[in-house]
Amino acid sequence: MGADPGEGVDMHGDSREIRLGAALVEAADTLAEDFDTVAYLRRVSDHCVALLGASAAGIMLIDDGEPVSFGVSGRRQELALDLLEVQHHGGPCLESHGSGEPVPPVTIRAAHASSRWPDFTERALRYDIGSTFAVPLRREGTALGALNVFVPEPAHPSPSPSPAPADETGLLLAQTLADAIALGLANHRMFTRYRTLAGQLQEALSSRVRVEQAKGILAERRRTGTDEAFVALRQFARSHRLPLDEVATAVITGSQDIAELGRERPGPA
């Protein structure tokens, strides 16, 4: 008889590898005009929960030391949002963001007993969170925020205060996902800047074309050269405190009184 296709294969491991691959693809998919940051952070947080078997997960984006945006998993989202919001005065996210290093798994009870993040740990105990850890979102030396994972109380607590190997693996997985998220966010920001710049350049080119068209129309009506027509356009715009492009557009569409503009005599440039 042939070997069982599943023999020797860690199906849980295979499943997690597939999920991690899907999560990394999701994290990279940010180059879209209708990109929604909050929805994106929720989706990647959902992947984190599924990969790590966590109660919930959340991402805090931080700018100039202050939280500017939250994204939480769909699973127990109220819990995750509450535990992110309570970290304004200290917590795993701010600590990881500030140091640029992961905050390894720590039990909530131990952190509470040592007065580490008192507001956060007190709130986490209300939700029966057993432990937490956080990893930074960073790209090319720039810290963007942190990913925070909330782990439920184990059914059979271990007497050892040291993290289990599974905890260490979870930290590495979370950091891998956080690095992909940071790359996705950085790429989206660059995409947005370039798209804005392209729009500005296109508008500047279109404005230049409209001004040239208006110069030609005005020169023909006034029976003069285009340079003199341009001076008249500019003087009219200045005297009426209007953008030159707006006056040119009005001339092209016929909404500006050509006769009035034609009476403007060019003065010094």
Side-chain angles (χ1 to χ4, degrees):
M1 295 179 60
D4 187 330
E7 187 177 349
V9 177
D10 179 0
M11 297 305 292
H12 176 71
D14 271 7
S15 175
R16 186 154 69 173
E17 288 176 3
I18 292 170
R19 183 77 192 217
L20 178 59
L24 295 178
V25 170
E26 184 93 56
D29 187 16
T30 60
L31 303 184
E33 293 187 5
D34 60 348
F35 179 76
D36 183 329
T37 301
V38 173
Y40 167 79
L41 295 180
R42 183 185 67 248
R43 292 194 301 270
V44 291
S45 294
D46 284 339
H47 281 297
C48 188
V49 169
L51 281 165
L52 301 175
S55 291
I59 296 170
M60 180 188 294
L61 299 184
I62 302 171
D63 186 26
D64 197 23
E66 293 293 331
V68 294
S69 182
F70 299 129
V72 298
S73 57
R75 181 180 179 184
R76 303 194 70 181
Q77 57 184 342
E78 291 184 4
L79 173 158
L81 185 58
D82 195 17
L83 291 181
L84 289 184
E85 290 179 339
V86 78
Q87 294 187 49
H88 281 285
H89 300 296
C93 280
L94 292 180
E95 185 170 314
S96 181
H97 172 78
S99 68
E101 299 292 335
V103 172
V106 57
T107 64
I108 297 299
R109 295 187 185 280
H112 186 66
S114 64
S115 298
R116 184 181 185 184
W117 321 314
D119 293 341
F120 168 78
T121 54
E122 183 177 344
R123 193 74 56 88
L125 287 172
R126 297 179 193 173
Y127 289 112
D128 294 324
I129 297 300
S131 62
T132 188
F133 60 89
V135 292
L137 270 65
R138 56 197 176 196
R139 178 62 182 162
E140 295 182 345
T142 300
L144 305 177
L147 165 64
N148 203 173
V149 180
F150 309 111
V151 182
E153 284 275 17
H156 304 287
S158 169
S160 172
S162 302
D167 293 332
E168 296 173 4
T169 300
L171 191 67
L172 291 173
L173 279 173
Q175 186 64 73
T176 298
L177 184 54
D179 289 344
I181 294 168
L183 175 60
L185 291 173
N187 285 344
H188 177 72
R189 292 179 182 182
M190 186 178 297
F191 170 73
T192 300
R193 285 198 298 269
Y194 285 151
R195 187 179 61 182
T196 300
L197 178 60
Q200 292 171 342
L201 291 174
Q202 181 60 53
E203 177 56 30
L205 178 60
S206 298
S207 176
R208 178 66 178 270
V209 170
R210 287 191 290 269
V211 170
E212 292 298 321
Q213 289 178 332
K215 282 167 55 178
I217 293 171
L218 191 58
E220 181 180 355
R221 296 293 179 89
R222 298 186 65 189
R223 300 181 185 277
T224 187
T226 55
D227 288 344
E228 186 178 10
F230 176 71
V231 173
L233 279 171
R234 187 172 60 185
Q235 285 186 340
F236 187 90
R238 287 176 176 175
S239 62
H240 291 78
R241 296 185 178 180
L242 295 171
L244 182 62
D245 181 59
E246 183 178 325
V247 175
T249 300
V251 170
I252 295 169
T253 60
S255 57
Q256 177 62 55
D257 189 337
I258 299 296
E260 180 185 354
L261 184 54
R263 287 194 294 269
E264 294 279 337
R265 302 312 302 168

